[in-house]
Amino acid sequence: MEITARDFKDYFILIVNMIEEQKDYLCELDRRIGDGDHGVTMSIGWQAVHERLLNELAEEEDSAKISLIVGKTFLNAVGSSVGPLYATGFMRGAKTIKNKLTVHTDDLVAYWLAFAKGIKERGRSEVGDKTMVDTLEPFATMLETKYKESNDFIAAYSEAIAAAKEGMESTKDLVSRKGRSSRLGERSVGALDPGATSAYFILATFLDFVEAKKVKAS
């Protein structure tokens, strides 16, 4: 499988649309343990990204530059803690595909592993803290393991998404240890973490994208 700069832009636009569809749900989740604005915050960030994609990035053919600018744009648009996290993820990912106009499956695995590792390091969180890492860590571990076994990106990524979903769903039973929601203590149990949920949606959207691309190519 090959992913071009055009593909990256199409994928990011899918995220823009997905976030708009899920905005109210993400805010509803956040109202249970936070300020209730996670969906709005994500929307602000991705609408800013959309503007860049439609304008200065419209003719860009460097996939790394696109990912880098997406990360920086999201950071500049979003003042909350989620801004630096996603910015780090997309900027770390960009480094793995530097100077590559066409990205192949080995590169995609490296991209997503760097994305997940970058967010974990920036957030200084671990599995069990009720954060995005509860989605990202099992995703990255499964992706790396299954791709080494099969060398089949879509199959490995599909299993990684299943692990990510399980990780996201596990946050419902966790006590929040990071951020404002940590002040709730035991009262945070029973609610999904909104950040873990939106991270899952972003990862799952890429699976939807590559599966659709495969169907078109067949």
Side-chain angles (χ1 to χ4, degrees):
M1 169 171 285
E2 295 182 348
I3 298 292
T4 65
R6 178 70 265 171
D7 290 326
F8 265 103
K9 286 182 278 190
D10 287 346
Y11 162 59
F12 287 131
I13 288 173
L14 283 180
I15 294 178
V16 173
N17 296 333
M18 175 275 293
I19 290 295
E20 288 308 300
E21 292 173 1
Q22 299 292 343
K23 178 170 64 176
D24 290 344
Y25 174 62
L26 293 172
C27 284
E28 178 186 338
L29 291 181
D30 198 27
R31 277 192 289 272
R32 299 176 188 176
I33 61 173
D35 293 340
D37 62 354
H38 184 66
V40 172
T41 299
M42 293 294 288
S43 175
I44 291 169
W46 284 102
Q47 287 300 320
V49 168
H50 195 205
E51 185 69 22
R52 300 291 288 274
L53 291 169
L54 294 180
N55 291 289
E56 65 200 80
L57 292 177
E59 304 301 323
E60 182 57 59
E61 296 184 354
D62 185 334
S63 297
K65 184 176 180 181
I66 292 166
S67 187
L68 185 69
I69 291 177
V70 164
K72 288 182 176 180
T73 301
F74 192 87
L75 175 62
N76 290 336
V78 175
S80 70
S81 59
V82 75
L85 295 175
Y86 276 116
T88 300
F90 287 120
M91 291 166 71
R92 291 278 188 92
K95 290 182 179 180
T96 69
I97 56 173
K98 190 175 181 180
N99 299 323
K100 295 182 179 180
L101 298 183
T102 302
V103 177
H104 298 277
T105 53
D106 286 355
D107 305 316
L108 285 174
V109 171
Y111 179 92
W112 286 114
L113 293 181
F115 174 86
K117 184 178 180 181
I119 290 177
K120 180 181 179 180
E121 289 179 353
R122 185 62 186 262
R124 298 179 181 178
S125 296
E126 301 292 338
V127 168
D129 286 342
K130 199 180 179 95
T131 69
M132 295 163 67
V133 171
D134 289 294
T135 295
L136 293 168
E137 182 87 343
F139 160 81
T141 300
M142 186 67 74
L143 177 60
E144 185 173 29
T145 299
K146 293 301 180 181
Y147 186 71
K148 284 180 179 178
E149 292 176 358
S150 68
N151 207 39
D152 182 330
F153 177 76
I154 291 182
Y157 196 90
S158 295
E159 294 203 54
I161 289 300
K165 184 177 183 180
E166 187 175 333
M168 171 196 70
E169 291 174 342
S170 76
T171 64
K172 188 172 184 178
D173 300 319
L174 297 174
V175 175
S176 181
R177 299 175 185 167
K178 293 283 185 177
R180 294 176 181 174
S181 60
S182 63
R183 294 176 297 186
L184 294 174
E186 294 291 336
R187 287 178 293 160
S188 63
V189 174
L192 287 174
D193 179 69
T197 304
S198 59
Y200 169 74
F201 288 157
I202 286 171
L203 298 175
T205 297
F206 191 72
L207 178 59
D208 293 340
F209 177 76
V210 292
E211 288 182 331
K213 181 177 171 66
K214 183 180 179 180
V215 169
K216 287 179 183 178
S218 62

